Amino acid sequence: MPELPEVEAARRAIETHCLGKKIRRSIVADDPKVIDGVSPSDFQASLLGKTIIAAHRKGKNMWLELDSPPFPSFQFGMAGAIYIKGVAVTKYKRSAVNDTDEWPSKYSKLFMEPKSVPPISELGPDALYELMPVDEFVESLSKKKIAIKALLLDQSYISGIGNWIADEVLYQSRIHPLQHAFSLSKESCEALHKCIKDLILQVIEKALEVGADSSQFPSSWIFHSREKKPGKAFVDGKKIDFITAGGRTTAYVPELQKLTGKQMGKAPIRSTKQSTDKDENGDGDGEGEDELGSEKEITEKANSKKGQKTSKGRAMKPPVKRKSKESGSNDDHGDDGEEKKTTKMSKTLTAKVETSKKTLKNSKTSTQIKKKAKK
């Protein structure tokens, strides 16, 4: 039989997942033993278009506060319960309603379908309250051909994980930010799931405990060194490096977070770390670009840029090929002015050398004449 804790758990679930949502559809069972004092049609009409403002409980009774009365109340009786699709509400009943389950159940006495509108409807499950079960999480990652950091920043996948939390959970679970999600081992996926679940809860509890003073977060977190300069950032004596992942400056520990599988041996592209990370505590929507290249690719890109002159950050147009008057062929002279200057300097230098040789020769001849004269 549902007691106060079970009813309170149901109330909190509604409060977490349903507040602010409008009821767009309702189905009321024709069961006078359960629906008391109102006809099914009147009950249904009283709910349509209303917004859920709050969920209340007194003893073992619960009721919903809507944006206008009347307010429906519930007494769970012997076997009553609240089910929210995809959400684990109470442990004494089945944990959650899955996509394959009948919905609404033929045993339901009251069914309500709240309407959700953008941007809320576009968000993925809440990282704290709605994180998918570990088996589902592992299966989901196996289908994502995207760097894991970028995926964690995607609010349509999991909502609530920002840049620094993504770095923290990846560090704690020893996963490289650029590792492709589908290539993660089952053990790594499970470790990541546990870190997300435990760390976010720990962050909230610790923040409340210390009045949101992040300086009192555990010293073992990479969080404390994310704003330090490259070469001066360490955690537990290990060097922190900075790269770009998901379009964001990303902190990780190369010694502990290594690329695996086919990505092993590829070098991540270093980023010029900014003093302040853009939208540090915001959503951090990642585009999912895999910013990864081999040392050879990076070197080739660097070499291709050599010799290119720039003006105020913009690449200048390549020199125009001009037809040689002597040969009639297309010779790429580059900057004619520079070439003429070089030619003149070369001729001048040659002339000076010739003059020096003559002077030296004349000097030697003069010396020889003087010696003969003395004899």
Side-chain angles (χ1 to χ4, degrees):
M1 175 185 291
E3 299 287 350
L4 186 150
E6 288 81 16
V7 179
E8 175 62 14
R11 187 200 69 79
R12 291 187 180 187
I14 292 174
E15 189 175 63
T16 301
H17 302 285
C18 301
L19 296 193
K21 294 185 178 180
K22 184 179 290 187
I23 301 170
R24 67 177 180 183
R25 187 160 70 102
S26 67
I27 300 174
V28 181
D30 187 6
D31 188 343
K33 293 181 179 179
V34 178
I35 309 300
D36 183 37
V38 61
S39 69
S41 58
D42 288 344
F43 194 175
Q44 182 174 312
S46 70
L47 297 174
L48 289 177
K50 299 292 184 66
T51 299
I52 301 173
I53 302 300
H56 302 283
R57 180 195 57 78
K58 187 168 185 178
K60 291 188 287 183
N61 290 269
M62 185 185 76
W63 70 95
L64 298 182
E65 180 181 348
L66 306 179
D67 54 357
S68 65
F71 304 152
S73 62
F74 310 90
Q75 218 289 343
F76 285 11
M78 290 291 292
I82 292 289
Y83 294 110
I84 302 174
K85 192 170 186 179
V87 177
V89 179
T90 55
K91 292 185 178 180
Y92 71 98
K93 292 289 183 183
R94 52 186 171 146
S95 60
V97 179
N98 299 314
D99 290 338
T100 55
D101 293 337
E102 180 185 24
W103 186 258
S105 167
K106 61 182 178 181
Y107 300 108
S108 297
K109 301 304 178 182
L110 169 63
F111 169 77
M112 295 187 298
E113 185 176 13
K115 181 180 180 181
S116 186
V117 295
I120 304 303
S121 61
E122 296 171 350
L123 295 175
D126 183 85
L128 178 62
Y129 293 111
E130 302 172 322
L131 187 63
M132 63 189 79
V134 64
D135 291 342
E136 186 179 332
F137 184 69
V138 174
E139 177 66 18
S140 174
L141 291 182
S142 70
K143 300 175 183 177
K144 302 293 183 181
K145 296 181 179 181
I146 184 175
I148 186 62
K149 169 70 182 285
L151 182 61
L152 292 178
L153 292 178
D154 184 352
Q155 300 300 293
S156 67
Y157 182 66
I158 298 176
S159 61
I161 296 181
N163 198 30
W164 78 262
I165 289 183
D167 284 354
E168 196 66 55
V169 295
L170 290 173
Y171 165 65
Q172 299 293 345
S173 54
R174 303 299 190 250
I175 297 174
H176 195 288
L178 294 178
Q179 187 73 44
H180 292 147
F182 76 90
S183 67
L184 290 171
S185 66
K186 182 180 179 182
E187 292 74 21
S188 293
C189 293
E190 291 173 344
L192 179 58
H193 184 276
K194 186 177 188 303
C195 282
I196 293 174
K197 188 175 181 179
D198 294 349
L199 185 132
I200 293 179
L201 182 60
Q202 188 178 4
V203 166
I204 292 174
E205 291 179 345
K206 190 66 178 178
L208 291 173
E209 178 186 334
V210 300
D213 181 3
S214 59
S215 66
Q216 297 190 49
F217 285 176
S219 60
S220 60
W221 287 9
I222 199 173
F223 171 85
H224 298 288
S225 299
R226 295 187 76 261
E227 293 305 314
K228 293 183 180 179
K229 294 181 179 179
K232 295 185 178 181
F234 296 87
V235 57
D236 287 342
K238 293 179 172 56
K239 181 184 176 183
I240 297 173
D241 207 349
F242 298 94
I243 58 175
T244 299
R248 307 294 300 282
T249 297
T250 299
Y252 80 113
V253 178
E255 185 178 340
L256 301 176
Q257 298 168 262
K258 300 180 183 295
L259 289 168
T260 62
K262 292 183 179 180
Q263 292 179 263
M264 187 184 297
K266 290 187 176 181
I269 299 174
R270 301 294 187 275
S271 70
T272 303
K273 189 174 184 299
Q274 303 298 321
S275 58
T276 303
D277 223 70
K278 192 175 181 181
D279 190 24
E280 180 59 33
N281 295 314
D283 291 342
D285 296 333
E287 295 298 325
E289 293 295 330
D290 186 5
E291 295 138 36
L292 189 67
S294 65
E295 292 286 359
K296 183 179 178 181
E297 290 170 341
I298 296 170
T299 304
E300 287 176 351
K301 287 180 182 179
N303 290 338
S304 68
K305 293 180 180 180
K306 288 183 179 180
Q308 293 181 358
K309 295 182 180 182
T310 58
S311 176
K312 295 183 180 181
R314 294 178 296 179
M316 294 180 69
K317 293 182 179 179
V320 178
K321 291 185 177 182
R322 297 181 180 177
K323 192 172 183 179
S324 172
K325 292 181 180 179
E326 296 179 3
S327 64
S329 62
N330 288 330
D331 295 329
D332 188 358
H333 292 297
D335 193 328
D336 287 350
E338 290 295 328
E339 186 176 311
K340 289 178 181 177
K341 287 181 182 178
T342 302
T343 304
K344 288 180 179 179
M345 289 176 66
S346 178
K347 290 180 178 179
T348 302
L349 183 61
T350 302
K352 287 183 178 180
V353 171
E354 292 297 327
T355 302
S356 297
K357 285 181 179 180
K358 289 180 180 179
T359 302
L360 181 62
K361 185 177 180 180
N362 292 337
S363 177
K364 287 182 179 180
T365 303
S366 177
T367 302
Q368 289 176 354
I369 294 171
K370 286 181 180 180
K371 285 182 178 180
K372 288 180 179 180
K374 284 182 180 181
K375 288 180 180 181

